């Protein structure tokens, strides 16, 4: 069973980012915060690797994790594919908050759109939870209290300490991106539409950078529901490296 690595300082982040960059050419990414988009605030960044590990970067505790902690290297890497669902809001928040430009993104929202176009269907937006259901993704059921907070408190991810329920919920949001959806969606996309898909991913990534309006997709602000069996992950706090 995969483990969640809680990263709470820029120093610990440097090691975590290095480990990700050298071991996982594809990662799942989700930014947790409030007011999605350019004026949004990022409190937590969850990153899932091909090995099934999840790194929870606590930006609320130490905002220097993004730049000084090297997370920017992962976001801007042209070698590592970032699998993100509907990346526009995350891209805008990262760019305006930290000057970070997302690169090499496989957007599952865009992949779903292109797949529909290939079948002669009008493209439409789909929430991550609906996409998980479509591909029979195994999910995690948050506690009733957390589900209520996810519905009612837009700053729920700013609450500290991060308990196991919150970390499991964040992990369940990114693990399927890299372990299920990336391969499934990539396999059904026509190679002849590869350039079109890449173009749409770039356009969607930039879509909120110049807009003051917040764009949301119906269903994306809803708490993650369990699909099939629930799962839990053990949590490991990443320690800061010792001085030699």
């Amino acid at each position: 069973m995969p483990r969640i690595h809680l990263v709470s300082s820029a120093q610990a982040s440097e090691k975590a980012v290095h480990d990700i960059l050298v071991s996982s050419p594809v990662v799942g990414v989700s930014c947790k915060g409030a007011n999605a988009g350019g004026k949004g605030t990022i409190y937590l960044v969850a990153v899932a690797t091909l090995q099934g590990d999840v790194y929870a970067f606590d930006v609320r505790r130490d905002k220097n994790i993004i730049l000084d902690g090297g997370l920017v290297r992962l976001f801007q890497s042209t070698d590592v594919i970032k699998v993100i669902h509907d990346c526009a809001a995350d891209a805008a928040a990262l760019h305006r908050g930290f000057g970070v430009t997302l690169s090499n993104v496989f957007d599952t929202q865009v992949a779903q759109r292109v797949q529909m176009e290939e079948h002669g269907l009008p493209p439409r937006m789909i929430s991550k939870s609906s996409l998980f259901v479509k591909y029979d993704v195994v999910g995690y059921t948050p506690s009733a209290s957390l589900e209520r907070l996810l519905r009612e408190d837009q700053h729920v991810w700013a609450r500290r300490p991060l308990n196991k329920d919150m970390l499991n919920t964040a992990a369940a949001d990114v693990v399927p991106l890299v372990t299920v959806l990336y391969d499934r969606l990539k396999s059904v996309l026509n190679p002849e539409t590869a350039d079109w898909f890449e173009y749409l991913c770039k356009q969607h990534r930039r879509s909120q950078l110049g807009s003051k309006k917040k764009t949301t997709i119906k269903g994306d602000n809803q708490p993650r529901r369990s699909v099939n069996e629930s799962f839990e992950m053990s949590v490991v706090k990443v320690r800061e490296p010792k001085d030699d």
Side-chain angles (χ1 to χ4, degrees), residues 72-92:
V72 60
R73 295 172 55 206
L74 176 62
F75 286 137
Q76 298 188 164
S77 171
T78 57
D79 297 321
V80 178
I81 297 172
K82 274 72 69 177
V83 186
I84 306 175
H85 184 79
D86 196 21
C87 73
D90 287 354

Side-chain angles (χ1 to χ4, degrees), residues 46-68:
V47 178
T49 69
L50 286 172
Q51 293 75 24
D53 287 327
V54 176
Y55 292 82
F57 294 89
D58 191 352
V59 181
R60 167 72 168 173
R61 183 174 294 277
D62 187 353
K63 65 180 181 180
N64 294 318
I65 281 174
I66 300 286
L67 299 179
D68 295 343

Side-chain angles (χ1 to χ4, degrees), residues 26-44:
V26 182
V27 296
V29 177
S30 179
C31 297
K32 302 296 185 185
N35 298 320
K39 294 185 178 181
T41 302
I42 296 174
Y43 298 131
L44 185 74

Side-chain angles (χ1 to χ4, degrees), residues 139-184:
Y140 169 78
T141 305
S143 65
S145 60
L146 180 55
E147 286 211 8
R148 179 180 57 80
L149 288 173
L150 288 168
R151 289 192 302 269
E152 300 175 358
D153 182 5
Q154 67 172 334
H155 294 284
V156 60
W157 292 105
R159 293 174 177 248
R160 293 297 180 273
L162 288 165
N163 59 39
K164 189 174 181 180
D165 195 20
M166 296 173 71
L167 290 170
N168 279 329
T169 300
D173 208 38
V174 290
V175 170
L177 292 174
V178 69
T179 60
V180 179
L181 293 185
Y182 176 66
D183 287 336
R184 294 284 296 277

Side-chain angles (χ1 to χ4, degrees), residues 4-8 44 54 56-58 162 167 235-238:
I4 302 173
H5 307 270
L6 181 56
V7 185
S8 302
L44 185 74
V54 176
F57 294 89
D58 191 352
L162 288 165
L167 290 170
V235 180
V236 176
K237 185 174 182 180
V238 177

Side-chain angles (χ1 to χ4, degrees):
M1 182 167 294
R3 298 187 302 176
I4 302 173
H5 307 270
L6 181 56
V7 185
S8 302
S9 70
Q11 190 174 10
S13 178
E14 287 186 83
K15 181 181 184 306
V17 171
H18 175 268
D19 291 344
I20 294 170
L21 289 173
V22 300
S23 65
S24 188
V26 182
V27 296
V29 177
S30 179
C31 297
K32 302 296 185 185
N35 298 320
K39 294 185 178 181
T41 302
I42 296 174
Y43 298 131
L44 185 74
V45 176
V47 178
T49 69
L50 286 172
Q51 293 75 24
D53 287 327
V54 176
Y55 292 82
F57 294 89
D58 191 352
V59 181
R60 167 72 168 173
R61 183 174 294 277
D62 187 353
K63 65 180 181 180
N64 294 318
I65 281 174
I66 300 286
L67 299 179
D68 295 343
L71 197 52
V72 60
R73 295 172 55 206
L74 176 62
F75 286 137
Q76 298 188 164
S77 171
T78 57
D79 297 321
V80 178
I81 297 172
K82 274 72 69 177
V83 186
I84 306 175
H85 184 79
D86 196 21
C87 73
D90 287 354
L94 286 167
H95 183 72
R96 292 182 182 165
F98 301 94
V100 173
T101 300
L102 271 176
S103 179
N104 201 6
V105 173
F106 183 99
D107 195 317
T108 55
Q109 178 76 265
V110 176
Q112 175 66 16
R113 168 187 169 172
V114 172
Q115 184 184 1
M116 294 183 72
E117 289 178 344
E118 291 177 353
H119 288 82
L121 300 172
R124 64 179 179 85
M125 306 294 267
I126 185 172
S127 68
K128 186 189 291 184
S129 58
S130 296
L131 197 61
F132 281 6
V133 171
K134 179 178 179 179
Y135 286 94
D136 298 321
V137 169
V138 175
Y140 169 78
T141 305
S143 65
S145 60
L146 180 55
E147 286 211 8
R148 179 180 57 80
L149 288 173
L150 288 168
R151 289 192 302 269
E152 300 175 358
D153 182 5
Q154 67 172 334
H155 294 284
V156 60
W157 292 105
R159 293 174 177 248
R160 293 297 180 273
L162 288 165
N163 59 39
K164 189 174 181 180
D165 195 20
M166 296 173 71
L167 290 170
N168 279 329
T169 300
D173 208 38
V174 290
V175 170
L177 292 174
V178 69
T179 60
V180 179
L181 293 185
Y182 176 66
D183 287 336
R184 294 284 296 277
L185 288 169
K186 187 178 179 181
S187 68
V188 297
L189 290 175
N190 190 329
E192 295 180 0
T193 63
D195 290 341
W196 175 238
F197 170 67
E198 184 176 349
Y199 169 78
L200 289 177
C201 281
K202 289 181 179 179
Q203 289 299 105
H204 191 54
R205 171 171 54 82
R206 299 168 180 166
S207 63
Q208 291 190 30
L209 296 184
S211 173
K212 295 182 180 180
K213 293 183 179 180
K214 170 185 167 184
T215 302
T216 59
I217 296 174
K218 184 177 181 181
D220 270 359
N221 290 330
Q222 299 301 315
R224 179 70 53 241
R225 302 287 180 176
S226 71
V227 182
N228 299 333
E229 299 175 353
S230 297
F231 69 95
E232 291 191 1
M233 299 180 180
S234 57
V235 180
V236 176
K237 185 174 182 180
V238 177
R239 297 181 178 178
E240 297 181 2
K242 296 181 179 179
D243 296 330
D244 294 331

